[in-house]
Each structure stands twice: as structure tokens, then as C-alpha cells.
Amino acid sequence: MATKSCLLLGMLALTCSLAVASDPSPLQDFCVSMPNSQVLVNGLACKDPKLAQADDFFFSGLDKQGNTSNPLGSKVTPVNVVQIPGLNTLGISMAHIDFAPYGLNPPHTHPRATEILTVLEGTLYVGFVTSNPDNRLITKVLQKGNVFVFPEGLIHFQRNAGYGKAVAIAALSSQNPGVITIANAVFGSNPPISHDVLAKAFQLDNKVVDYLQSIF
């Protein structure tokens, strides 16, 4: 009897943990967001569903190449609840990523989403780093049609490993996955993180910290 009770409790605990592993499940057909609403909720307030229109669930433009004329040589076009109000509460979003030759989508993390990436064109070198204390780097070279998963919250990156352009599309398990680009967050915070903190954390000279903060 005790064994059965322990097994039941374990299954309930697992069920509860899975239930909170991503965005909450919707309690209605849809909840088209009202970005300008003064109501503050964990997500975005809903407009009257009777006022929903087709455009609330629509986005166009992913057929157009993103502008990769920047120092990184990449362009991410997000399609989340900001672009499609009808995604509110649905727990899913996507992004289109264009890469110039040798272009890079730099190390970053999505604090609220797992990402699954599909290569549509070209060759990508991708990877993620596991959490402390191992910090193990897991990498793979992807070709057209290959798929790779980046677990929620882990630092990851993609780099064009070919001579031509590359294109990928990503699906994410949140309507608003968030993005923290590591270099921008550390060296481009507002106000800046103290030199003493950064110099000691990265074992850098203060002049190097100055230079990096001036870039980001």
C-alpha cells in the first residue's frame, strides 16, 4: 500500500512539474492581445473575442531576405505575440534567421522557451553550453533540412559555416520567449556594470572593459 501511495504521489508531482514547464494553457479559444491596455497581467490583456479579426492571427514578410549588412552578418525576424496579437496565451512563436557568409547569431539565451531550429538553406555550425558546473559545449554542423534543439534557458549560437548565404527558421515554446544576448547584456547594460565586477569576473584589464563597453 505504501509503495502504491509513493508511486501515485510521484506521478502527481511529475504531472504538476510538466504543467508549469512552459506558458500556461489557455482557458478559452484565443485571447487577442491589447498591447496598449493599462491592465497589467502575466502576459497581455485580452480584447473582446467578438472583435477579433483575421489580421489578429496573421503576419507576412518571411519570404523576404533580412538585411545582414551589420557587424554580425545576421538578421533575426521574430514572429511572436508582438507581431501576431492572436498568439497571446497560445505558448508558441517563431523566428526567421538570415545569415551572410560567415554570419553569426551570437551566444544568447531564451529565458522562457526551448527552441527547435530547421535549416532551410546553407550550412550552419550550431551549439549550446550546459549549465554549471560542467559547462559542456554540444555542437553540430547542420545542412539543409537538418533540425536541432536548444533547451530552454541554455546559452546557444548559430554561425554560417558555408560560402553562401544561409537561412533557418526556429520555433519556440513561448508566445514571448525573450532574448538575452550575452555580450550585450554584460557589456552593454544600462547603467553599466562596474569595472571592478567585469574586470574580476572575466580576468580582464580595466582598459579592455572600457573598450568592450564602448562597443556594446
Side-chain angles (χ1 to χ4, degrees):
M1 185 68 179
T3 303
K4 291 183 178 179
S5 298
C6 289
L7 181 60
L8 178 59
L9 288 172
M11 291 177 66
L12 288 173
L14 179 60
T15 302
C16 292
S17 66
L18 292 175
V20 298
S22 59
D23 288 356
S25 297
L27 300 177
Q28 54 203 29
D29 286 347
F30 51 80
C31 169
V32 176
S33 69
M34 294 192 301
N36 299 322
S37 173
Q38 299 301 308
V39 178
L40 300 179
V41 296
N42 185 23
L44 295 168
C46 311
K47 75 177 184 181
D48 186 338
K50 294 184 178 63
L51 301 178
Q53 303 292 327
D55 282 348
D56 292 326
F57 305 90
F58 174 78
F59 178 84
S60 66
L62 290 192
D63 58 320
K64 299 178 176 61
Q65 182 175 345
N67 183 3
T68 57
S69 300
N70 55 65
L72 293 173
S74 69
K75 172 63 176 178
V76 178
T77 303
V79 185
N80 55 45
V81 70
V82 175
Q83 288 76 34
I84 302 182
L87 278 177
N88 193 34
T89 76
L90 298 186
I92 193 170
S93 61
M94 64 185 297
H96 183 272
I97 314 166
D98 291 282
F99 298 85
Y102 308 108
L104 172 71
N105 190 13
H108 63 282
T109 178
H110 303 293
R112 294 179 289 275
T114 292
E115 174 182 344
I116 184 167
L117 181 91
T118 304
V119 179
L120 302 182
E121 182 178 350
T123 302
L124 291 180
Y125 169 68
V126 306
F128 64 86
V129 180
T130 64
S131 56
N132 298 349
D134 295 337
N135 298 133
R136 181 180 168 213
L137 175 62
I138 297 176
T139 64
K140 185 78 173 175
V141 175
L142 306 180
Q143 307 294 339
K144 180 179 178 180
N146 291 169
V147 177
F148 197 81
V149 173
F150 305 101
E152 181 174 342
L154 296 188
I155 294 172
H156 59 282
F157 61 88
Q158 302 105 25
R159 180 175 67 84
N160 187 351
Y163 297 103
K165 70 176 184 178
V167 181
I169 197 159
L172 300 111
S173 61
S174 172
Q175 67 190 41
N176 184 23
V179 181
I180 301 173
T181 305
I182 308 306
N184 297 57
V186 172
F187 294 104
S189 67
N190 184 23
I193 298 174
S194 165
H195 280 59
D196 293 338
V197 172
L198 295 180
K200 189 165 186 175
F202 291 93
Q203 298 296 288
L204 297 174
D205 184 89
N206 279 335
K207 291 182 179 178
V208 177
V209 173
D210 275 337
Y211 172 71
L212 291 172
Q213 287 185 325
S214 70
I215 293 176
F216 292 103

